[in-house]
Each structure stands twice: as C-alpha cells, then as structure tokens.
C-alpha cells in the first residue's frame, strides 16, 4: 500500500447509475463494484454507503475503492456519466478520507464473487465483466496508463486459465518488476501464468508455450481414451466424453475438467492416478502474447508474423502507443506521419505501418482494432471474440501514453481515445474469419464517419504540437499528409466492408 496519490476518488451513491465504467477504465484496479447479500450488507463496516442493486433487488451495491493503491489519475471520475449530469465520483484529498474507504474495500475483498450477478449482467459486457475479479492489480504503471486497463480486462475475462508470454517493454515492467508482480490469483489459487524471455522474442516464446501445453494435453487425451475403453464405470466414461467434446473450448472445458477430475479421483485406478498427476494441464488454456508496438511492428515482427501464419489457437495483444515507450520514446513503425519522437525529431516522414491489414491478408487470422474510451462495448466484444476464435487472433489497442504529452493530462486518457476515433486518427474494426466461412459479413467497421477536427486532435498532444511550434511550415505539410492518410485509410476500410460482405 504505497499511498502515493494526493487526490483520490470518493463515491456518492445518490448520483450512481451502476454502469461500472469507473471500474472498467481504472488502470490500477483500485475501484471495484461489490454485490452484497442482505447478511453481508448487515455485517459491513459502519458508515458504508450502499444502494439497492439495479435489476437484482435481493442484492445491495457499493463501489469499493482502495485509496492507498490509487495513483490519483482521475480517469474514473473523468468517464463517470453520473445521474442527470452529476458525477458519482469526485476527487478529494487522500489523507483526509482514506481510512473509512479502505475499510470498505478490505471488507469487499473478503466477500465471494457472485456468479449469479455476473451471469445476470453477462460476463462479456462492460457492466458484467466488472463483477469479476481483476487478476492484475496495483501495478507500477504510470497514473492514467492506457495499457493496463486492457490487460486488466483480459484477466477479468480469461485470467484464471491464462498463459502470458510478454515482450520486453512497458508491459513487462508494470507486469513484473521483480520481486513483486501485480498479477494475482483468485480464491482457488488460479491466475495468469506469466513469463518474459528477456528480449523481443515473445511471439516465439508464447508459441512454444502453446505447443508444449498442447503436446501434454494430447498425450493426456490418449490416456483418457484408453481409460474410457477399459472402464465399466459410467460416470468416468461420461466425464471423459464431455471433456473430449469440449476439448477446444476454454469456456466449456473448465467445468468439464472439474467433473473429470472428480470422477477420476473417485475411480482410484492406477491409470486415473497417472492422469491426475498432471491434472493442472487437463483444462484448455488461453494462450496470450503481450507486447507493445515497438515489438509487434518492428523488432519482433518476424515472430509475430510467424505465429499468426501458424493457424494455431493463440492470441496476440498489442498495446499500441505508437512509440517505443519504455526505452525513451523512439520512433517505431507504428509512429504516424508528423509525430515527433527520438530518431524523428523533425516529425516522422512515412506513414504508420498497417499491421492489421498484413494480418488480415492471411484470411484466417481474427483481427481487431480497439480503443476502449471510444467504444467500451466494442472493446470487450472484440476481446471475447478473439479468444473464442479457434485460430490465431491479433488485437491492436490504442493506448495513450505519457510520451504523447496530452495537454489535458493523463486523467483524460480515455477521452483522448474517444477523440482519436471521432477525429479519424484511429479506427475501430473487427475481422472474423468464422463469419466468412458461414457466409456472413466478416468485416465490421465499428467507427462512424469521422466528425472531429483531425488537426485539432494532433495539436492537443505535444508530440505533434511541438513540431507546429518550432517548424510551422513543416508541421503544416506533414499534418496535411497525415490527414490525407487518415481519409484514405477510412475509404479503404469502407471498401473492406463490401469486400468481406456475406453471400
């Protein structure tokens, strides 16, 4: 508990609409919705603020905030819609307010996760996902970080069965600054299994993880088939059949594995005991590869391309800050035209690499461009679709960074993500090969026609505004070029809607 924030959020239930946006965007997982039974609410700390839960009158709702873990970025208060324009979150002095708030948070942590609440609001929605435990919490990321809200959300969706191979960069620094790690476990002891292989071979490293776990599961499958053929116990046969039927489905195979383990333990034969020695490998895992744009677009691109081309069930998550964030802000192939960065002090001449387009050219890679602050629903939907897709998936997430020099500050990171899409600086879309096979529309352009001022957006960030200040003529030239690139890209994306239309 670092207690580093000067100002922290406090919650006013009178203005809350229970949207859970604040929890969704919190970079450090310090603000969390809590559903309490009547008995739990009665046992809550004195002075706790609560309200009836919308849609579930048997439950009481509170928003628990760990103010001692907060960095004071204000991203939660920024996105809070409130009731009738009155925000439910306000930033107040931490020292004067943390004691009572921390008691509520600590109490909330002792309560069980309510699966019936998650099911009611659906686990792959903005609201429902936030009733799941984040398995990434209190990282050392910058206040207002654009990367960690994505990673935190992924752990809420799949974290109890995740393997993560992490490229070196910001995402490996906030993920595991040894000897501590913000990745954590649930009450069953399950959480993301994380590792970093020193340099930029995270794609190859993650691919090795996938092949290794698949080799173990294939061997166990053969052993189980042999048990099924030789046993006369119906419960064992049924459990093995259900496990086989759900072998490739992460969501379904977990519960099937629990039934299988119980049946094998009750069976007690030597063959069952051999399988049980490796029971942790039975369930289908969710294999992820995390990294930034410097890795994915540049020095690790060969590995990324190789893994995407493999056709295997693996997920690549790119935190796109458009610059080498962790090593001093050097230009990458993701840096757009006109941006200032190290090795592009006069503004980058060339356009941003189309990593999504390269991946889509294979025809069997799920590809998504997401920007959380612009469309929270599209973000969680894309992540769920990507993980469920039985082949390779690539998610590229727009992530505002302190290196961007956002003039309004990092508290407005989510707003910056929204403005990026509205101005046509970034586009949200999804390409799902499964839909193409089914004869349906495979490409979804989730961004509307830009309505914002493209160049005004650029001038809201110092990486562009500084060029306009010291070399206005060159800035005018490069910014016009960048704006044309943006319009051309949107025209291209509209053509893809037609190209990938269903039959």
């Amino acid at each position: 508990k670092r207690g580093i924030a000067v100002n922290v959020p406090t919650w006013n239930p009178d203005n809350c609409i229970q949207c859970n946006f604040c929890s969704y965007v919190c970079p450090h997982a310090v603000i969390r919705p809590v559903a309490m039974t009547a008995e739990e609410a009665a046992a809550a700390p004195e002075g706790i603020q609560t309200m009836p839960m919308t849609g579930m009158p048997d439950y009481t709702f509170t928003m628990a905030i760990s103010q001692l873990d907060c960095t004071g970025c204000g991203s939660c208060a920024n996105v809070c819609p409130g009731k009738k324009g009155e925000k439910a979150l306000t930033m107040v002095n931490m020292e004067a307010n943390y004691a009572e708030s921390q008691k509520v948070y600590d109490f909330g942590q002792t309560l069980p996760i309510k699966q019936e609440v998650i099911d009611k609001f659906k686990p792959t929605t903005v609201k429902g996902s936030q009733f799941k435990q984040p398995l990434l919490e209190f990282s050392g990321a910058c206040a207002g970080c654009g990367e960690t809200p994505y990673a935190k959300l992924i752990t809420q969706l799949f974290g109890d069965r995740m393997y993560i191979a992490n490229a070196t960069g910001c995402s490996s620094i906030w993920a595991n600054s040894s000897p501590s790690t913000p990745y954590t476990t649930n009450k069953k002891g399950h959480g993301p299994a994380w590792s970093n292989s020193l340099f930029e071979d995270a794609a190859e490293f993650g691919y090795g993880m996938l092949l290794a776990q698949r080799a173990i599961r294939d061997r166990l499958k053969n052993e189980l088939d042999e048990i099924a053929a030789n046993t006369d116990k119906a419960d064992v046969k049924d459990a093995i059949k259900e496990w086989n039927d759900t072998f490739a489905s992460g969501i379904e195979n977990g519960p099937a594995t629990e039934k299988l383990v119980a049946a094998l333990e009750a069976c007690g034969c030597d063959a069952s005991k051999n399988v049980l020695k490796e029971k942790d490998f039975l369930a289908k895992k969710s294999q992820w590869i995390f990294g930034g744009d410097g890795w994915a677009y540049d020095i690790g691109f060969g590995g990324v391309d190789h893994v995407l081309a493999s056709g295997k069930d693996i997920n690549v998550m790119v935190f796109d800050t458009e610059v080498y964030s962790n090593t001093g802000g050097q230009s990458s192939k993701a840096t757009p035209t006109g941006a200032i960065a190290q090795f592009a002090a006069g503004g980058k001449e060339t356009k941003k690499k189309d990593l999504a387009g390269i991946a889509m050219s294979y025809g069997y890679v799920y590809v998504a461009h997401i920007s959380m602050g612009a469309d929270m629903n599209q973000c969680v939907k894309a992540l769920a679709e990507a993980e469920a897709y039985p082949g390779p998936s690539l998610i590229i997430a727009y992530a505002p960074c302190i290196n961007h020099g956002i003039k309004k500050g990092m508290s407005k990171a989510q707003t910056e993500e929204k403005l990026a899409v509205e101005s046509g600086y970034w586009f949200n879309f999804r390409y799902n090969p499964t839909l193409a096979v089914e004869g349906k529309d495979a490409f979804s352009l989730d961004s509307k026609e830009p309505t914002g001022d493209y160049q005004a957006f650029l001038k809201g960030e110092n990486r562009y505004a500084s060029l306009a200040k010291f070399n206005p003529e060159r800035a005018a030239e490069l910014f016009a070029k960048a704006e044309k690139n943006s319009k051309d890209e949107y025209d291209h994306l509209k053509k893809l809607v037609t190209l990938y239309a269903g039959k």
Side-chain angles (χ1 to χ4, degrees):
K1 305 297 179 196
R2 298 184 295 168
I4 60 171
V6 175
N7 294 315
V8 293
T10 58
W11 179 63
N12 179 357
D14 293 340
N15 296 334
C16 183
I17 61 171
Q18 299 181 28
C19 63
N20 289 350
F21 287 2
C22 54
S23 173
Y24 192 78
V25 306
C26 178
H28 293 83
V30 303
I31 181 164
R32 307 182 189 182
V34 178
M36 296 180 284
T37 62
E39 293 79 10
E40 290 168 346
E46 188 178 348
I48 185 175
Q49 297 192 84
T50 64
M51 62 191 302
M53 176 167 275
T54 303
M56 300 189 77
D58 292 338
Y59 287 89
T60 297
F61 179 90
T62 191
M63 192 60 75
I65 305 169
S66 180
Q67 295 183 345
L68 289 175
D69 289 304
C70 181
T71 61
C73 72
S75 192
C76 55
N78 177 46
V79 302
C80 177
K83 192 178 290 182
K84 296 180 181 178
E86 294 291 326
K87 289 185 178 289
L89 291 164
T90 51
M91 303 299 288
V92 300
N93 180 265
M94 191 267 281
E95 286 191 36
N97 291 276
Y98 78 88
E100 294 302 317
S101 174
Q102 204 67 39
K103 286 179 187 176
V104 173
Y105 178 85
D106 293 342
F107 173 74
Q109 291 299 96
T110 67
L111 304 180
I113 300 294
K114 310 294 192 301
Q115 188 59 46
E116 60 274 22
V117 174
I118 295 169
D119 292 341
K120 166 71 176 178
F121 299 110
K122 298 183 181 177
T124 54
T125 62
V126 175
K127 182 170 181 172
S129 66
Q130 295 314 293
F131 287 106
K132 300 188 76 175
Q133 180 187 351
L135 298 175
L136 172 72
E137 58 184 11
F138 322 143
S139 73
C142 297
C145 176
E147 296 184 357
T148 49
Y150 294 113
K152 174 177 68 74
L153 176 59
I154 293 172
T155 70
Q156 287 173 298
L157 298 173
F158 322 113
D160 58 350
R161 54 187 175 86
M162 279 181 77
Y163 283 23
I164 304 172
N166 214 126
T168 298
C170 269
S171 60
S172 70
I173 302 308
W174 54 249
N176 192 10
S177 294
S178 294
S180 69
T181 174
Y183 285 109
T184 187
T185 58
N186 60 21
K187 286 183 168 60
K188 290 184 178 179
H190 298 161
W194 183 98
S195 194
N196 162 258
S197 66
L198 185 62
F199 205 52
E200 304 298 5
D201 58 353
E204 298 91 326
F205 185 45
Y207 189 46
M209 287 183 182
L210 179 81
L211 296 179
Q213 57 174 287
R214 182 58 194 261
I216 295 171
R217 290 187 81 222
D218 284 345
R219 175 169 52 76
L220 291 172
K221 185 179 186 301
N222 292 334
E223 293 178 22
L224 288 167
D225 289 343
E226 203 168 308
I227 292 172
N230 294 310
T231 187
D232 56 359
K233 296 185 177 181
D235 62 328
V236 175
K237 285 181 179 289
D238 291 344
I240 292 173
K241 182 179 186 306
E242 184 178 351
W243 183 82
N244 272 321
D245 290 345
T246 62
F247 184 84
S249 170
I251 293 175
E252 298 174 305
N253 193 245
T257 299
E258 290 180 4
K259 293 179 188 176
L260 174 63
V261 169
L264 293 176
E265 287 175 341
C267 176
C269 65
D270 289 340
S272 295
K273 290 176 182 177
N274 284 334
V275 171
L276 289 171
K277 288 177 184 176
E278 297 180 287
K279 64 182 179 181
D280 286 348
F281 294 98
L282 283 169
K284 166 76 166 60
K285 303 302 186 294
S286 184
Q287 180 65 57
W288 288 79
I289 303 170
F290 282 3
D293 54 274
W295 158 74
Y297 286 72
D298 274 3
I299 53 179
F301 172 71
V304 171
D305 180 63
H306 182 72
V307 168
L308 294 178
S310 72
K312 301 293 184 182
D313 186 3
I314 196 163
N315 309 291
V316 180
M317 178 69 183
V318 181
F319 305 103
D320 194 348
T321 65
E322 302 186 324
V323 71
Y324 279 85
S325 294
N326 185 57
T327 50
Q330 293 89 352
S331 173
S332 81
K333 289 189 183 72
T335 305
T337 305
I340 282 182
Q342 289 195 41
F343 308 124
K348 186 161 176 276
E349 290 269 4
T350 54
K351 67 187 289 189
K352 179 172 182 169
K353 179 178 181 176
D354 185 9
L355 182 61
I358 293 170
M360 285 170 57
S361 68
Y362 281 109
Y364 54 82
V365 179
Y366 180 96
V367 181
H369 249 223
I370 61 177
S371 179
M372 180 182 282
D375 193 336
M376 295 183 189
N377 288 308
Q378 189 259 2
C379 173
V380 69
K381 187 174 184 179
L383 292 172
E385 288 177 350
E387 203 277 339
Y389 179 64
S393 66
L394 171 68
I395 306 100
I396 305 174
Y398 183 59
C401 173
I402 197 168
N403 281 307
H404 294 178
I406 299 170
K407 290 186 176 181
K408 294 178 181 177
M410 289 302 290
S411 67
K412 304 294 186 189
Q414 295 292 324
T415 300
E416 199 72 359
E417 292 175 20
K418 185 171 184 283
L419 293 174
V421 171
E422 289 176 349
S423 65
Y425 182 86
W426 182 273
F427 301 111
N428 285 340
F429 55 82
R430 290 167 294 133
Y431 170 71
N432 191 340
T434 300
L435 298 178
V437 173
E438 295 172 354
K440 300 176 182 176
D441 293 351
F443 185 84
S444 173
L445 179 51
D446 301 320
S447 296
K448 295 178 181 178
E449 195 89 32
T451 56
D453 187 325
Y454 184 91
Q455 297 208 22
F457 173 79
L458 296 187
K459 290 168 184 175
E461 297 184 359
N462 287 334
R463 57 175 171 155
Y464 293 103
S466 56
L467 180 62
K469 184 176 181 179
F470 75 75
N471 194 340
E473 290 182 3
R474 179 168 171 79
E477 176 191 342
L478 290 180
F479 293 177
K481 186 177 178 182
E483 187 169 9
K484 183 180 184 304
N485 290 342
S486 168
K487 290 177 179 176
D488 290 346
E489 182 184 356
Y490 194 74
D491 287 342
H492 173 68
L493 294 174
K494 286 193 289 186
K495 291 175 183 176
L496 294 185
V497 174
T498 304
L499 178 66
Y500 293 115
K503 296 176 182 177

